[in-house]
Structure formats: C-alpha cells, structure tokens
Amino acid sequence: MATKHKTTQERPIELPVGLNAWLLDCAPAPGCKTCQVNWRHLNAAKDDGNIVQASRHATLIRDHASGVH
C-alpha cells in the first residue's frame, strides 16, 4: 500500500498589515541607559528579521519606561 505525501509547501501565514509596527511601538525613556541598550537590541533584531526577539525588547522598553522595573 502506497501512501501519498504532499510534495508542496503550504502557503506562509500572512500577518495583518501593521502588526509588526504595533508589536514594536515603544519609546525609550530619555536618558535611561537600560532603555537605550534595549532600543539598540530591538533595532538589531528587527534588522535581522527576528520579530519575536525585537518584540521582547519592545516590551522591556515599554515596561521600563512606564516604571514597572
């Protein structure tokens, strides 16, 4: 009995337009070294196409700038 295997890839999932902008929406606190370091890491990850890591840094910036830390 032969099994049939799918030989083509499924189409990639398309995220809604603007989702990355929403995930990465943040602003480092002025004069804060922690925020500046995370900002550099965010931009490096975004340039590498690693949106997951970039969004983690954006979350850290938002939390730190709002006083969570």
Side-chain angles (χ1 to χ4, degrees):
M1 180 168 144
T3 59
K4 292 189 177 194
H5 296 284
K6 194 174 192 179
T7 59
T8 58
Q9 283 186 316
E10 294 182 18
R11 292 173 26 121
I13 296 171
E14 294 183 28
L15 298 175
V17 175
L19 180 64
N20 289 353
W22 177 77
L23 285 172
L24 304 180
D25 184 28
C26 64
C32 177
K33 291 181 183 181
T34 301
C35 286
Q36 293 302 322
V37 168
N38 277 305
W39 183 256
R40 285 193 296 275
H41 290 306
L42 182 154
N43 286 313
K46 185 169 62 171
D47 291 344
D48 290 342
N50 189 344
I51 194 67
V52 172
Q53 190 62 37
S55 66
R56 288 180 182 143
H57 289 292
T59 299
L60 291 172
I61 292 169
R62 282 191 296 270
D63 289 348
H64 195 259
S66 67
V68 170
H69 290 242

